[in-house]
Amino acid sequence: MTRVAWFLVGILLWTPSLSLEASPAESVRYRISIAQGDAPSLEIDLTTFRLPSAGGALRVVIVPDREVPGLPLLSIVIDRDGNPRADLTDHRDRTVSDALLYWLEAEAAVPPEWRVAGAQGTEKIRLSSLRLRSRIAMHRSCTAPEGAAATLHMALEEPVLEMNGELKTELRTLDWRFELDAAGAFRGGELRRELVRSIGAVEQVDAPRIEIEVISRTALEADEARRVWLEFELLAPAARCILPGQDAKQVDAALERLERHRTEQPDGKLAAAVPRLEAGLTSRSEWLAGGTPDERAERLIGHPAPEFGLTDLDGEQLSLSSLRGKPVLLSFWGHT
């Protein structure tokens, strides 16, 4: 076999869609209520598609039923260690994706042995979404009254305080309650936490209260999961073009992608997101067409910086959204 032939075989074996053959995939439908401070609660139904990808990671594609803060098509990536991170999200408002991040991380933090009725104890865990270096001591207990579903409760043993220069991060409350079915799978639950970041007298409080009900779980056959994966690959660039930092040509190309979707996958699993994607892209196109570059730049003042990623001095990937809630200084320099 020639080198070219081996190269082509290698590409086919690496393709993420083929890894779905050996990995389970499922669609999960949720009903979520999100409250933050004194703001009215947001109630939304949404459908997620858990799609295994190369390297043992898992992509969770999220399609809300109706218009909610953020993008009409969202995505979270869970690495092989169970750590979730927001991938395709609107960094200006991550209300829904953050709720799913907390929930998915809670699922990953609770191993099967914790879900057995009568289990009690304390164990230290690490939560990536909190960006804390410390492991957190959590007390857990699982009870199952006769004739009722099991209830799993996890709570912070004591507040966690970390200092990073002048930045103080204090996790004051972390409380998770889950309802489990007979097999120990999550049926729903309530998540509460209070995280306070401060520099001097300036404080930022993050205290969401999230109630989640799992409405249904449906296993996806490999070919069905592959179709959802390909559909996401077609629509994801269109969703990214709604965010700041894209030019008119990219937005026009994204609108062409939506037309391809109508032709290639008119009844796709993610089709519910297409009308809202089109509305967002059209609005973005009209905004880009209005005024000179200086006038458009003037309208960006006071708004969040566009999302971007780079490699730091240690070779680690870093995104601007991963620093959310922390002071960030951008220094642009160069030489000729």
Side-chain angles (χ1 to χ4, degrees):
M1 186 179 290
T2 67
R3 291 184 178 180
V4 172
W6 278 115
F7 176 73
L8 293 174
V9 169
I11 291 177
L12 289 173
L13 292 176
W14 178 84
T15 302
S17 60
L18 293 183
S19 68
L20 296 171
E21 296 286 355
S23 303
E26 66 175 351
S27 172
V28 184
R29 186 163 174 75
Y30 293 100
R31 178 163 295 141
I32 305 179
S33 174
I34 308 167
Q36 181 75 261
D38 297 328
S41 61
L42 172 67
E43 297 183 355
I44 186 68
D45 288 2
L46 53 85
T47 302
T48 67
F49 299 90
R50 301 191 184 200
L51 305 173
S53 58
L58 185 72
R59 180 178 293 278
V60 180
V61 179
I62 307 161
V63 183
D65 275 8
R66 58 179 175 82
E67 189 92 19
V68 296
L71 294 177
L73 181 68
L74 308 170
S75 172
I76 293 172
V77 172
I78 306 174
D79 65 23
R80 62 172 57 193
D81 296 321
N83 299 314
R85 62 176 176 82
D87 176 42
L88 179 57
T89 57
D90 187 342
H91 55 276
R92 296 166 297 182
D93 197 329
R94 283 177 31 180
T95 306
V96 175
S97 59
D98 279 354
L100 263 294
L101 273 173
Y102 304 152
W103 176 259
L104 294 170
E105 187 160 53
E107 283 191 334
V110 184
E113 58 268 23
W114 285 27
R115 308 181 193 186
V116 178
Q120 294 193 41
T122 300
E123 184 168 332
K124 288 189 174 182
I125 63 176
R126 177 167 289 149
L127 303 177
S128 59
S129 68
L130 292 175
R131 305 295 178 188
L132 295 175
R133 293 188 299 272
S134 300
R135 286 186 174 270
I136 302 170
M138 297 287 291
H139 178 77
R140 90 279 186 188
S141 60
C142 189
T143 58
E146 188 174 352
T151 301
L152 175 64
H153 181 210
M154 296 172 59
L156 195 66
E157 284 281 284
E158 59 184 17
V160 178
L161 177 65
E162 287 196 348
M163 297 293 296
N164 183 10
E166 295 184 2
L167 176 64
K168 180 171 71 174
T169 303
E170 184 179 8
L171 180 62
R172 297 177 180 174
T173 305
L174 185 59
D175 191 281
W176 293 334
R177 297 177 187 271
F178 306 102
E179 292 295 321
L180 311 175
D181 63 18
F186 294 103
R187 299 198 317 183
E190 180 182 15
L191 293 77
R192 293 173 177 263
R193 81 174 197 186
E194 183 180 15
L195 184 71
V196 180
R197 297 183 178 93
S198 59
I199 296 180
V202 180
E203 285 191 348
Q204 180 188 53
V205 180
D206 179 22
R209 303 184 306 280
I210 304 167
E211 295 181 8
I212 294 186
E213 177 188 358
V214 177
I215 300 174
S216 64
R217 290 181 183 270
T218 305
L220 298 177
E221 298 294 333
D223 59 342
E224 188 178 19
R226 185 182 295 107
R227 286 196 297 270
V228 178
W229 182 279
L230 295 175
E231 190 178 3
F232 173 77
E233 290 293 300
L234 180 61
L235 294 178
R240 289 191 176 93
C241 282
I242 296 177
L243 301 174
Q246 311 297 322
D247 60 29
K249 290 183 178 180
Q250 291 169 310
V251 173
D252 289 342
L255 287 168
E256 291 177 4
R257 281 179 170 270
L258 297 189
E259 288 301 318
R260 281 180 53 196
H261 181 275
R262 287 192 176 93
T263 302
E264 298 173 7
Q265 302 222 34
D267 301 317
K269 297 286 189 181
L270 309 182
V274 173
R276 297 194 298 274
L277 283 172
E278 186 172 40
L281 288 170
T282 301
S283 175
R284 185 73 181 161
S285 180
E286 292 172 351
W287 184 89
L288 287 169
T292 66
D294 286 343
E295 290 171 340
R296 295 199 298 270
E298 186 73 20
R299 295 201 295 268
L300 291 174
I301 295 176
H303 293 274
E307 172 69 346
F308 66 87
L310 49 79
T311 303
D312 65 18
L313 296 178
D314 297 321
E316 299 293 331
Q317 289 298 313
L318 183 70
S319 65
L320 183 61
S321 58
S322 69
L323 302 173
R324 187 182 184 194
K326 300 179 181 179
V328 176
L329 173 64
L330 298 180
S331 177
F332 296 93
W333 59 276
H335 61 85
T336 58

